[in-house]
Amino acid sequence: MTLATSPTTAAVGSLVVLTGLIAGLWWREYQTRTGPIDRPLVVFVAPTSRLPIEAIAADYERETGQRIELRFGPSEDILTKVRFPAPGEPADLFLPADDSYVRQARDLGLVAESVPIARVRAVVLLAKNNPKRIGAWADLLRDGVKVAVPNPGAAVGKLAREHLVTTRKWLALEPRVVDTGTVTEAANAAKVGSADAAIVWDVVATAPAYREQTVLALPELKGVTGRVELALLNQSSDAPAARKFARYVTDPNHGLVRFRESGFNVEDKAGGVASALHEALAPREGAAP
Amino acid sequence: MSTHPLPRDPRSDVPFYAAFGLLGGLYVGLIVALLVADFAHTSFGSVGRALASPQIRAAVWLSLLSSSTAAILSVWVAVPLGYLLSRTRFVGRGAVDLLLDVPILLPPLVVGLSLLILFQTAPGAWFQRTILPVTYAVAGVVLAQFAVSAAFAVRTMRVTFDQIDPRAEEIALTLGCSRAQAFWRVTLPAARRGVLTALTLAWARALGEFGPILIFCGATRMRTEVLSTSVFLELSVGNLEAALAVSLLMIAVAVLVLVATRAFGLRGTGLI
């Protein structure tokens, strides 16, 4: 087959196709477009909380009709995005992988309130079938063992390094360490077998995708803990609606059930969390825009 | 002086071609090994499950629509820009030439971040308020794809026009054509295969675009999620099987486009 089309035909044809494509994109955007009345709540979420928050958002939309728009990305990425909200489209809530990002957001003056959801602790996720027969900390230090550790940009990587340096265990482990970008990349390295073990948050290690792998909770990592926190952003254009959804997320009979189902170590005082949120935020309700 | 060619032993070519074949074959082998590894770690069931997901189907449609839009827009920009760079000398030509490499050389995340910052500036914010919202919107997906794919299309069109002898165009001018007529009737028809190559490259580049889209438009399911962000979302929860299935879908689509491109007779043009 050869090209025998005249330039005019090709140019006109391309414009017709382009018009059709733009119409298609416009129609697609129109389907999901929201006006000022039914504006969705915008929630920036780290992928580690994707499964429970998707289920919670679906439950909430079904029960209340309020639309929830979830925007996923690595914690450092979504932190950047809440720093630079799109004009006329501010974010309402922020759910990063752990509380270190909430602290950063608070330091930047972005957070109105935050509530804890679950505790996370560092564990060792082993490669499938554990070919190196790792069962204790000493096994990680053997020759030929590769241990994936997220880089210090990820909270678990930073906290694990700091803790192991303090407890004088880092120097022995360091030659076995391979750096990965994020906690999920470390877990995936163990899943595909490119690392023999990975230091990750327990909530990542117990996710359904890694159910065929063994998880070790080692005393050497006991001090490496963090919290999953939901932050209400002060840029929210509908703070009452954002608070209402935040309460639903931290309700022991609703949101926290989903987090527990996804393997999160939800705090014992879950009901207290919801109450604390209500008490912390209630006085502002009247003043909210 | 004698002009007889030196006697030549055809057997002496064998080591040469063997060495080159071996070196080149290493890379070809790597590509084949990658594809085989992908196929070995997935199944038709995984691809079927991926396609059964409404989110993935939405991502497929958005990918096809947005990549095609970005590719056509890229060609509309690349043809005039490639022509000007190839045939004219103007003040700042070197700077323009250099600038065109920026989207190619910049890390993709930087392109996304730059777009995000651009639309926070006063003119960008005005544009979004009064003309078209692009941040975290479908239009932003097309813009992020266009920002990178257009640079590849411009490079292709410049090479295309460089390879076309300008004498035919000059003859058309002496026969009474205007510059526009000479371009439209002589140069552009001669460049048709280059145009199609630019379109194909821009489309393929747009399809594979990830970093700028993730930064600039987010990964909102059913809204701004394209195939590359689907891979990211599945990887982010350790669902390697689904991520691989979506990757294979992208490979299949890319191969289909390349086969179609060759069917249009681009083989042997030196461009693809």
Side-chain angles (χ1 to χ4, degrees):
Chain A
M1 192 194 277
T2 55
L3 297 170
T5 315
S6 77
T8 306
T9 309
V12 171
S14 76
L15 286 177
V16 169
V17 173
L18 185 62
T19 307
L21 289 167
I22 290 172
L25 287 167
W26 180 85
W27 179 80
R28 201 177 177 286
E29 179 83 337
Y30 179 78
Q31 298 280 80
T32 55
R33 186 181 295 167
T34 51
I37 296 171
D38 61 346
R39 180 191 169 275
L41 285 174
V42 174
V43 188
F44 278 99
V45 185
T48 45
S49 295
R50 191 193 115 193
L51 297 179
I53 202 72
E54 276 186 343
I56 293 166
D59 292 343
Y60 193 71
E61 286 185 353
R62 199 168 43 247
E63 288 178 24
T64 66
Q66 166 72 59
R67 289 190 52 213
I68 308 293
E69 187 169 301
L70 303 173
R71 294 178 183 167
F72 300 102
S75 299
E76 57 274 28
D77 175 21
I78 57 175
L79 177 60
T80 304
K81 285 171 178 169
V82 298
R83 288 183 69 185
F84 301 108
E89 202 177 353
D92 297 292
L93 294 151
F94 177 54
L95 182 58
D98 58 70
D99 56 337
S100 66
Y101 296 98
V102 175
R103 282 200 299 276
Q104 288 181 54
R106 188 178 285 117
D107 291 345
L108 292 164
L110 299 169
V111 174
E113 300 289 345
S114 68
V115 279
I117 290 175
R119 282 211 164 273
V120 286
R121 59 177 179 157
V123 294
V124 174
L125 177 68
L126 301 177
K128 256 186 207 169
N129 304 322
N130 192 13
K132 295 282 172 69
R133 303 277 171 251
I134 294 166
W137 182 261
D139 298 328
L140 297 176
L141 309 179
R142 290 200 314 254
D143 279 346
V145 171
K146 280 188 208 164
V147 184
V149 181
N151 72 30
V156 66
K158 179 174 180 286
L159 294 175
R161 279 175 172 80
E162 287 173 356
H163 177 77
L164 292 171
V165 166
T166 307
T167 55
R168 299 172 185 277
K169 291 186 167 57
W170 179 250
L171 272 181
L173 181 69
E174 195 176 16
R176 318 279 174 254
V177 167
V178 286
D179 271 19
T180 63
T182 65
V183 64
T184 317
E185 285 167 17
N188 287 343
K191 183 172 181 176
V192 300
S194 59
D196 303 300
I199 295 179
V200 297
W201 290 130
D202 55 355
V203 66
V204 173
T206 53
Y210 308 107
R211 68 163 64 96
E212 292 174 21
Q213 295 164 254
T214 305
V215 181
L216 296 179
L218 299 177
E220 286 79 0
L221 293 172
K222 199 176 175 186
V224 187
T225 58
R227 279 204 307 201
V228 179
E229 279 191 16
L230 177 66
L232 175 67
L233 299 169
N234 54 22
Q235 64 189 254
S236 172
S237 61
D238 192 354
R243 287 184 196 113
K244 193 178 164 195
F245 179 61
R247 276 187 218 115
Y248 188 87
V249 173
T250 52
D251 187 328
N253 299 316
H254 293 100
L256 294 182
V257 174
R258 296 294 195 180
F259 274 98
R260 199 174 278 116
E261 283 170 359
S262 297
F264 281 71
N265 183 21
V266 171
E267 298 201 20
D268 292 338
K269 295 177 180 174
V273 171
S275 303
L277 175 77
H278 183 73
E279 287 159 15
L281 299 178
R284 289 167 174 251
E285 298 237 4
Chain B
M1 189 196 279
S2 168
T3 57
H4 291 296
L6 292 169
R8 191 167 164 275
D9 179 2
R11 282 174 303 177
S12 64
D13 289 348
V14 173
F16 171 80
Y17 284 119
F20 273 42
L22 183 66
L23 290 171
L26 285 174
Y27 183 57
V28 175
L30 173 66
I31 296 171
V32 172
L34 290 174
L35 294 175
V36 169
D38 284 351
F39 278 103
H41 275 77
T42 192
S43 62
F44 285 115
S46 296
V47 177
R49 276 192 295 279
L51 275 175
S53 153
Q55 287 88 357
I56 302 293
R57 282 208 301 272
V60 169
W61 279 114
L62 180 59
S63 291
L64 293 176
L65 286 172
S66 61
S67 301
S68 304
T69 307
I72 293 175
L73 289 172
S74 296
V75 169
W76 272 93
V77 168
V79 168
L81 201 46
Y83 181 83
L84 290 174
L85 287 169
S86 174
R87 296 292 164 83
T88 62
R89 300 288 177 269
F90 54 89
V91 178
R93 180 173 170 276
V96 172
D97 201 30
L98 190 74
L99 278 172
L100 286 168
D101 283 335
V102 170
I104 296 171
L105 297 177
L106 272 185
L109 291 176
V110 177
V111 176
L113 186 59
S114 305
L115 283 168
L116 196 63
I117 302 288
L118 171 66
F119 283 95
Q120 304 300 315
T121 60
W126 173 85
F127 181 87
Q128 295 214 76
R129 271 196 312 272
T130 55
I131 299 177
L132 185 69
V134 288
T135 315
Y136 307 118
V138 168
V141 174
V142 176
L143 182 61
Q145 291 174 328
F146 169 79
V148 179
S149 61
F152 286 88
V154 172
R155 281 276 164 261
T156 308
M157 287 315 304
R158 186 188 166 172
V159 171
T160 301
F161 289 124
D162 281 347
Q163 289 178 352
I164 296 171
D165 192 339
R167 274 183 300 179
E169 198 176 334
E170 283 159 12
I171 290 168
L173 290 173
T174 63
L175 293 175
C177 279
S178 66
R179 177 65 69 184
Q181 286 170 325
F183 171 78
W184 199 251
R185 293 176 183 173
V186 177
T187 310
L188 194 54
R192 63 190 182 277
R193 289 181 171 178
V195 172
L196 192 56
T197 305
L199 183 74
T200 309
L201 285 180
W203 190 89
R205 194 68 192 78
L207 182 74
E209 202 63 62
F210 166 65
I213 295 175
L214 186 65
I215 296 281
F216 186 46
C217 308
T220 306
R221 304 217 94 169
M222 308 291 283
R223 192 169 175 209
T224 58
E225 181 187 359
V226 288
L227 282 172
S228 55
T229 41
S230 296
V231 174
F232 161 75
L233 283 174
E234 297 305 334
L235 272 179
S236 67
V237 291
N239 195 353
L240 302 186
E241 297 77 13
L244 206 50
V246 176
S247 305
L248 287 176
L249 270 179
M250 293 179 75
I251 291 170
V253 170
V255 168
L256 276 176
V257 169
L258 288 174
V259 168
T261 308
R262 274 161 167 69
F264 274 99
L266 288 185
R267 194 196 299 272
T269 60
L271 292 163
I272 194 166

